[in-house]
Amino acid sequence: MREARLFTMSTIIVGVQLVVLLLFVLKGANLLQFTFDQFYMVYNAISDLYASINPYLLWIFSDSLRKYILQRFGLAKANKTITSVTPMTFVV
């Protein structure tokens, strides 16, 4: 399960990187008919997405962080574990 989540996170990050690379390749090959201003706006939007994707992925895929955040916002109750200790008696 953890490996599947890690693979999904990595795939999303690599996918965003490939979109940025593809954007540069298409612009370099003059296949995109963007003006410089349009290209800069698209690139800026994608780079902002790439820069901020890691915290969002951490929120989505980390069970402990998600539980903590939900508890802090009052949307989930804290689970308190109570451990009882049974006294031992020694017979001599």
Side-chain angles (χ1 to χ4, degrees):
M1 182 69 167
R2 287 176 37 173
E3 290 80 13
R5 287 181 175 180
L6 183 61
F7 176 73
T8 304
M9 286 175 56
S10 301
T11 303
I12 292 170
I13 292 170
V14 170
V16 172
Q17 287 176 337
L18 288 176
V19 167
V20 171
L21 179 65
L22 183 65
L23 179 68
F24 272 103
V25 168
L26 291 176
K27 180 61 178 168
N30 286 332
L31 296 176
L32 290 177
Q33 300 302 322
F34 284 163
T35 65
F36 180 75
D37 291 338
Q38 290 171 333
F39 175 77
Y40 181 74
M41 286 185 352
V42 171
Y43 170 74
N44 200 16
I46 293 174
S47 66
D48 286 347
L49 171 67
Y50 177 69
S52 64
I53 200 165
N54 290 332
Y56 291 116
L57 291 176
L58 186 62
W59 276 26
I60 293 168
F61 289 103
S62 173
D63 291 332
S64 59
L65 181 63
R66 190 176 336 108
K67 286 178 187 176
Y68 175 76
I69 291 169
L70 290 175
Q71 288 172 2
R72 293 295 285 177
F73 286 130
L75 299 174
K77 293 183 180 179
N79 293 337
K80 294 185 180 180
T81 305
I82 300 174
T83 305
S84 64
V85 177
T86 306
M88 295 181 64
T89 57
F90 294 101
V91 177
V92 181

